[in-house]
Amino acid sequence: MLGNNSLASWSDRTLRGKGSGLALVAMSVLLGAYSSAWAVVPLAGVDGAKVYEQRCAACHNGHVPRAPQLTVLRQKSPEDVLDALLTGPMTFLGLGMPDAERKAVAEFIAGKPLGGEAQLKETATNFCPQAPGEFAPTEGSSQWNGWGASLANTRFQPAERAGLTAEQVPNLKLKWAFGYPAGTVASQPTIVGGRIFVGTLRGQVYSLDAATGCLYWAIKNPTGIRSAISITRLPHTNPLKYAAYFGDVSATVHAVDARTGAEIWTTKVDPHPIARVTGALAFLDGRLYVPVTSLEEASAADPRYACCTFRGNLVALDAATGKQIWKTYTILVKPTPTRKSKDGVQQYGPAGASIWSSPTLDPEQGRIYVTTGDNYADPATKTSDAIVAFDIKTGKFLWSQQFLPNDAWNVACDSTDETNCPKAKGPDLDFGSSAILQNLPNGKRVLVAGQKSGMVYAIDPDAQGKLLWQQRAGKGGIAGGIQWGPAADSETMYVAVSDIGMTIKDDPEAGKVPVLDPTVGGGIHAFRLTTGEKIWSTPPPACGERKNCSPAQSAAISVIPGVVFSGSGDSHLRAYSTKDGTVIWDHDAAREYQTVNGVKANGGSFDASGPTIVGGILYTNSGYGQWGGTPGNVLLAFSVDGREE
């Protein structure tokens, strides 16, 4: 923890790895940075360029869709690259390399020496006068806790908690901005008890004052964080203590004191070297429910990799101790040897069906629902690209509703060497966002979810997942369709569409890089929950003359009564009327901000997490460059009493 007077304790936890934000980011770092313009003095006599040629070039000098542009890659630090080799998607390669080689290739790729972590300390300024202060949230207080604002993952904030009306939204102004280290991707901000809790892929965890942005505490986690942080009362404590829970990219779950940031416990939930937690943890009755995924489908691009052995899984932990209560898999059988590749490498399956998003809890019926990803290897299973239900007490598999069979895919399928590509060679149209549980006016219930295929589905959770209706919202694709998540109020489901367009062009320095198509993607739709009828549809605005712009609306969306908020790849955050889809407020974040902690910060593309609205303030991260969009590093807070810069 960092106190008021010193930064000396910043290094309490050794930074070892953060991984990447998307399945191909770390791989793309290697792809894009092979350039003489980035040459550095070799480390300890080891030639990083030669290491790259020997160990990396065979996989990373090819055509890789979804690769970030060079402008984004140049923001990566050598620590980012090293982390990818130690705990990220390149672990299978990095663990077999001598330490000097790992460091040399990291410096070669980034074009700068290791040891640049001083920038992380610069963000830990502007401490609150009362830090760390008291933290005692009152029962029923306004909050946005975890990912979906409720156990049902509706991403709907009721009026009494939002503190913001549809009539006030057009008057929103910037209240304050907080700067992260340059190039940092941050998790969705959680607001509980007047504090913000947010983690980053550089491993920082911050607790800020929700009203002013001043800092209560900051810690460095050993690995990076993608999941939203969940806050709850720590069981069996007197006086009462609250814990902040989060998972990281090493598949480790952490509990820290929400008041001070002090560590309470840590638990490794999956031993697979490329397993990770990206979805927020869910809490109920003293238990944490942890979704586990992996980047093994990216590792499969290397023909020397024995693909694939990871199965998506859900883990229940005791919130007080971190002890595992049960663990259940989305694929019910263990991977076994299947065939040998042309190079004699043993292949395994079935694998995959990862859980990328936060689970949806159903305490009324004692069930927990997850959405799953595609299979990584043959044979394809019936629980991939599906909504799966488990018993919340025991973890027992109950039922599964699959929406796209035979979707077995990994990155090898889009590489020049398809050795590890499954025979099914599926389209990779899995679920990346949570299912939403909602009550219907007729007394029945519905479970709705959006898929990368561009389809929206509604099923009956009380009839073994029986399909009620389906509608197409977008064209769909590997990076298309519904990405990070829809939202729903009591009558309507709101769906934003990615359908991002890219072309691959040759760069004189970086080789093949993706360039965004300003004419493709985006749009937001409203569907009636009872029937699936489309109520309205609003197309995306044109990008105009902005360089490398995309109108794709990949980010999760959020709803308050009368208003749905959606961020776009064009760096705009817009508010739409829930009545007809009219845009009633628009903020262009592509600019530099004066921050409360004095860190130079810019806004940019909106992607991944969505806005969180509490007590009259809207909070959002801006600057997601992982898909080639406009990078940035800022947390923004808007209110009607805000200021204009």
Side-chain angles (χ1 to χ4, degrees):
M1 183 192 74
L2 295 178
N4 262 324
N5 301 319
S6 174
L7 296 175
S9 59
W10 180 273
S11 298
D12 274 356
R13 302 180 181 187
T14 304
L15 181 65
R16 291 177 48 218
K18 269 67 60 187
S20 64
L22 295 170
L24 295 179
V25 169
M27 297 176 65
S28 303
V29 169
L30 298 179
L31 166 71
Y34 182 48
S35 164
S36 58
W38 290 95
V40 296
V41 177
L43 177 75
V46 179
D47 188 340
K50 185 175 293 186
V51 174
Y52 175 87
E53 282 295 330
Q54 292 173 344
R55 295 186 177 270
C56 309
C59 291
H60 300 298
N61 276 2
H63 179 105
V64 179
R66 301 188 280 180
Q69 284 194 301
L70 186 59
T71 54
V72 177
L73 300 179
R74 285 174 174 169
Q75 293 202 22
K76 299 295 180 183
S77 70
E79 286 80 10
D80 284 325
V81 182
L82 188 60
D83 294 341
L85 290 166
L86 288 171
T87 61
M90 302 307 296
T91 302
F92 72 96
L93 177 65
L95 292 181
M97 298 170 62
D99 186 58
E101 286 193 5
R102 286 193 297 261
K103 291 178 179 177
V105 76
E107 291 189 344
F108 167 73
I109 290 167
K112 60 189 73 172
L114 289 157
E117 294 296 332
Q119 62 165 332
L120 302 180
K121 298 181 182 180
E122 296 173 3
T123 60
T125 60
N126 188 38
F127 282 92
C128 301
Q130 69 276 28
E134 295 300 319
F135 182 71
T138 58
E139 193 71 28
S141 61
S142 295
Q143 61 179 23
W144 187 299
N145 197 351
W147 178 254
S150 68
L151 297 179
N153 275 324
T154 60
R155 300 194 61 81
F156 172 78
Q157 187 72 305
E160 61 273 18
R161 289 191 173 187
L164 184 67
T165 66
E167 292 71 28
Q168 292 174 316
V169 167
N171 298 317
L172 285 175
K173 298 180 179 65
L174 182 68
K175 186 176 181 68
W176 54 260
F178 178 87
Y180 302 116
T184 295
V185 173
S187 65
Q188 179 175 282
T190 286
I191 298 90
V192 175
R195 296 193 186 192
I196 300 170
F197 299 87
V198 63
T200 78
L201 267 180
R202 292 301 303 140
Q204 307 100 320
V205 184
Y206 299 105
S207 175
L208 309 174
D209 184 84
T212 67
C214 67
L215 184 66
Y216 282 107
W217 53 259
I219 59 174
K220 182 77 74 60
N221 191 60
T223 59
I225 301 143
R226 281 306 297 260
S227 71
I229 297 173
S230 300
I231 310 297
T232 190
R233 185 180 298 171
L234 189 66
H236 316 306
T237 55
N238 188 16
L240 295 178
K241 180 186 288 189
Y242 287 79
Y245 298 98
F246 56 89
D248 66 23
V249 299
S250 68
T252 301
V253 174
H254 303 264
V256 302
D257 189 319
R259 185 181 75 88
T260 66
E263 183 178 294
I264 299 172
W265 55 256
T266 63
T267 297
K268 181 84 169 178
V269 292
D270 195 291
H272 197 286
I274 318 176
R276 56 172 42 199
V277 176
T278 61
L281 284 56
F283 174 85
L284 182 67
D285 295 336
R287 291 183 176 186
L288 294 170
Y289 297 95
V290 185
V292 186
T293 185
S294 82
L295 293 187
E296 193 177 26
E297 64 181 349
S299 302
D302 186 343
R304 298 164 295 180
Y305 183 75
C307 176
C308 283
T309 57
F310 176 83
R311 292 181 289 164
N313 58 89
L314 186 66
V315 181
L317 301 179
D318 184 305
T321 65
K323 182 179 178 180
Q324 181 176 303
I325 299 170
W326 53 255
K327 181 174 185 175
T328 189
Y329 292 90
T330 56
I331 298 176
L332 303 183
V333 296
K334 294 181 179 180
T336 57
T338 53
R339 61 182 174 89
K340 287 191 176 181
S341 72
K342 59 182 175 61
D343 298 322
V345 178
Q346 182 64 61
Q347 307 293 289
Y348 298 86
S354 292
I355 308 174
W356 292 97
S357 56
S358 185
T360 301
L361 304 191
D362 183 359
E364 180 181 329
Q365 295 298 322
R367 293 192 289 259
I368 184 168
Y369 310 106
V370 299
T371 57
T372 63
D374 57 347
N375 289 120
Y376 298 164
D378 297 316
T381 67
K382 293 184 178 181
T383 52
S384 63
D385 293 19
I387 297 176
V388 184
F390 299 100
D391 184 277
I392 202 167
K393 290 184 178 179
T394 66
K396 178 183 177 182
F397 175 89
L398 297 176
W399 52 259
S400 173
Q401 173 64 270
Q402 186 177 54
F403 299 96
L404 182 62
N406 299 314
D407 188 10
W409 179 93
N410 61 51
V411 175
C413 298
D414 281 347
S415 303
T416 54
D417 189 329
E418 296 187 356
T419 294
N420 282 339
C421 179
K423 293 180 180 179
K425 200 175 183 179
D428 184 27
L429 300 180
D430 51 347
F431 287 91
S433 58
S434 302
I436 296 171
L437 181 64
Q438 192 62 281
N439 295 317
L440 297 176
N442 61 6
K444 293 187 176 182
R445 306 188 308 159
V446 66
L447 199 60
V448 292
Q451 192 177 8
K452 284 168 54 179
S453 63
M455 294 296 295
V456 179
Y457 299 98
I459 64 174
D460 187 341
D462 303 315
Q464 303 289 303
K466 176 184 176 182
L467 183 66
L468 298 176
W469 57 261
Q470 57 184 327
Q471 284 281 21
R472 178 164 292 282
K475 180 180 178 181
I478 286 179
I482 297 97
Q483 291 282 315
W484 288 87
D489 56 29
S490 60
E491 297 181 352
T492 309
M493 180 184 187
Y494 305 94
V495 181
V497 175
S498 169
D499 284 354
I500 191 169
M502 291 185 186
T503 56
I504 304 297
K505 294 187 177 181
D506 288 317
D507 184 277
E509 294 183 351
K512 296 183 184 297
V513 296
V515 177
L516 300 178
D517 187 337
T519 67
V520 175
I524 187 168
H525 315 276
F527 299 97
R528 199 174 308 281
L529 280 175
T530 51
T531 64
E533 172 196 359
K534 182 179 285 189
I535 303 171
W536 53 259
S537 181
T538 302
C543 274
E545 299 300 320
R546 180 164 292 173
K547 185 178 179 181
N548 201 41
C549 172
S550 171
Q553 291 171 250
S554 301
I557 59 178
S558 306
V559 181
I560 64 173
V563 184
V564 55
F565 296 93
S566 176
S568 175
D570 66 358
S571 302
H572 285 258
L573 176 64
R574 300 179 177 90
Y576 301 80
S577 167
T578 58
K579 294 180 180 179
D580 56 14
T582 303
V583 176
I584 62 173
W585 177 76
D586 186 346
H587 177 78
D588 184 354
R591 59 187 175 93
E592 185 175 339
Y593 290 89
Q594 180 180 350
T595 63
V596 293
N597 58 334
V599 172
K600 184 177 180 180
N602 291 276
S605 297
F606 290 92
D607 205 335
S609 65
T612 54
I613 308 99
V614 177
I617 305 178
L618 179 149
Y619 307 89
T620 187
N621 294 315
S622 180
Y624 193 93
Q626 305 293 66
W627 290 77
T630 305
N633 60 314
V634 70
L635 169 63
L636 303 173
F638 298 91
S639 67
V640 294
D641 62 353
R643 56 180 172 80
E644 287 286 354
E645 288 191 341

